Amino acid sequence: MKRRLFFISLAMAAAVWAAAGFTQTGAPAAKTSVTREEARPLTPEEIRALAARAIANQHRDDEAADAFEHIDHLFDRAGASDLRVSQNKTFRVVPTGTGTLKLLLKENDRPVSAQEYQRQLKIWAQILEVAIQPGDPRQKASLEKCRKRRKERADLVDAALDAYRFGWLGRETRNGRAVTKLSLDPNPQFQPRTRAADMLTHARATIWVDDESGQMMHAEADITRDISFGGGILGKVYRGGHFEMDQAEVALGIWLPTRYKYDFSGRKFLFVFEVHELTEISHYQRLGTPGEALAAARRELQTNPTSAAGDP
């Protein structure tokens, strides 16, 4: 049901509104104080005037993410308020040129064997070897799917201009930084053109925006109406679901997610399910182009070909 795509897209859309009010260029603004004029709520006209630049900033972050690897620590929890962990996995998430690949490092705190880790590294290297061959039919197919996926995400960010109504909730300090708190409520006049855009109308969000950079630091979203798939025949995600996301600067001017939290329930065909996941994301490292990533993978395979993955 692509639940992560929905929630990530919602957060991306929220970021557009957030940045629209607080940045006019791609560079961070150096602010040491807030005047009465800066603290006042922005008018719809002012938001519209700044939105194009804000969208460009968000697209830049999305494009930059393709060059980074990171560590995901995924926890499956017993319930929304029950923090007991049923299982946890640690992944090294690496770029492939047309997406990402998860290399399992640990499961329930037990590292994978040296042989298993090396097997995964070899698969990554093989994928990258195809990625640097633009004439390879496999790469052409992967690139086409990748372009379609990226366009859908970019269009969804753009759709946020009409999908939500902006609300001013005040100013706070979060993680030692000055932030502005904003609300995003579905616009009843919005006419979605895609299934993904329609899903935005099923949730409302609250976001906290870092004043200095104009980037979203934290977002929370709640599903307010059931989301049906295949007219409800294939399944539903029930209203009442909750999502949280944190972001931080991982490179100069680039902000990427550092934490996701999902709590929701639904039905797939006749089977009811619940999802309670927490993902902590860390150790961002820029690998660069597929060619540069391939060089890194080959070096790792050659340097210590019999070692297992260590602690990140």
Side-chain angles (χ1 to χ4, degrees):
M1 292 187 180
K2 300 182 180 180
R3 58 182 183 270
R4 286 181 177 81
L5 174 61
F6 164 62
F7 285 124
I8 292 171
S9 299
L10 176 62
M12 286 164 38
V16 170
W17 278 97
F22 302 98
T23 180
Q24 297 190 36
T25 68
K31 293 185 179 180
T32 57
S33 61
V34 178
T35 66
R36 181 175 302 175
E37 175 66 16
E38 290 171 325
R40 69 171 175 82
L42 297 176
T43 66
E45 291 76 16
E46 289 171 320
I47 293 173
R48 284 282 179 178
L50 296 174
R53 296 188 180 97
I55 289 174
N57 290 340
Q58 183 63 41
H59 291 327
R60 183 193 60 190
D61 287 345
D62 294 339
E63 292 173 0
D66 294 335
F68 285 82
E69 70 165 310
H70 58 267
I71 300 296
D72 279 8
H73 197 174
L74 171 64
F75 300 89
D76 283 326
R77 296 174 292 117
S81 58
D82 189 340
L83 300 182
R84 289 178 300 171
V85 176
S86 58
Q87 71 169 344
N88 70 83
K89 295 181 179 180
T90 303
F91 297 94
R92 179 185 177 190
V93 184
V94 293
T96 63
T98 55
T100 59
L101 178 69
K102 287 187 173 183
L103 311 181
L104 180 64
L105 301 181
K106 294 181 180 180
E107 186 167 5
N108 295 327
D109 294 325
R110 297 185 60 182
V112 300
S113 67
Q115 294 77 14
E116 172 58 21
Y117 184 62
Q118 293 299 311
R119 184 189 68 83
Q120 295 179 88
L121 278 180
K122 290 177 181 178
I123 291 174
W124 178 35
Q126 290 168 359
I127 294 172
L128 290 170
E129 286 168 356
V130 174
I132 63 173
Q133 302 294 332
D136 190 302
R138 294 170 295 176
Q139 180 62 9
K140 288 182 178 179
S142 295
L143 280 173
E144 183 60 31
K145 291 180 181 179
C146 180
R147 292 190 187 103
K148 181 180 179 181
R149 184 171 63 250
R150 288 173 179 172
K151 185 180 185 303
E152 289 174 348
R153 288 182 60 172
D155 289 347
L156 191 59
V157 173
D158 293 338
L161 291 174
D162 298 317
Y164 291 106
R165 287 181 171 175
F166 172 88
W168 173 271
L169 296 178
R171 296 173 55 80
E172 297 179 2
T173 299
R174 191 177 185 92
N175 297 334
R177 300 177 68 96
V179 297
T180 298
K181 186 177 179 181
L182 309 171
S183 64
L184 285 89
D185 293 307
N187 180 359
Q189 297 179 341
F190 175 60
Q191 298 294 324
R193 297 182 180 181
T194 65
R195 175 59 182 164
D198 178 69
M199 287 195 291
L200 295 178
T201 69
H202 292 251
R204 65 167 55 97
T206 304
I207 56 177
W208 287 255
V209 184
D210 178 63
D211 289 341
E212 185 175 338
S213 66
Q215 295 271 13
M216 181 179 65
M217 179 180 288
H218 180 70
E220 298 185 8
D222 294 285
I223 299 176
T224 57
R225 295 188 293 131
D226 291 354
I227 302 172
S228 298
F229 297 87
I233 297 174
L234 299 179
K236 284 186 177 182
V237 173
Y238 298 139
R239 67 177 183 176
H242 182 76
F243 161 76
E244 296 180 12
M245 185 179 84
D246 291 304
Q247 291 199 142
E249 189 175 33
V250 302
L252 183 61
I254 302 299
W255 286 57
L256 296 175
T258 58
R259 175 179 170 270
Y260 291 116
K261 183 183 177 189
Y262 305 94
D263 290 293
F264 61 94
S265 60
R267 173 179 56 79
K268 187 173 183 179
F269 297 107
L270 300 177
F271 303 97
V272 176
F273 66 87
E274 289 190 17
V275 174
H276 305 285
E277 292 181 359
L278 171 65
T279 302
E280 296 174 344
I281 309 169
S282 62
H283 294 81
Y284 278 98
Q285 180 177 335
R286 188 183 184 280
L287 291 183
T289 65
E292 291 170 325
L294 176 58
R298 286 173 172 171
R299 283 195 302 270
E300 189 169 351
L301 283 166
Q302 294 171 0
T303 301
N304 204 351
T306 61
S307 67
D311 289 331

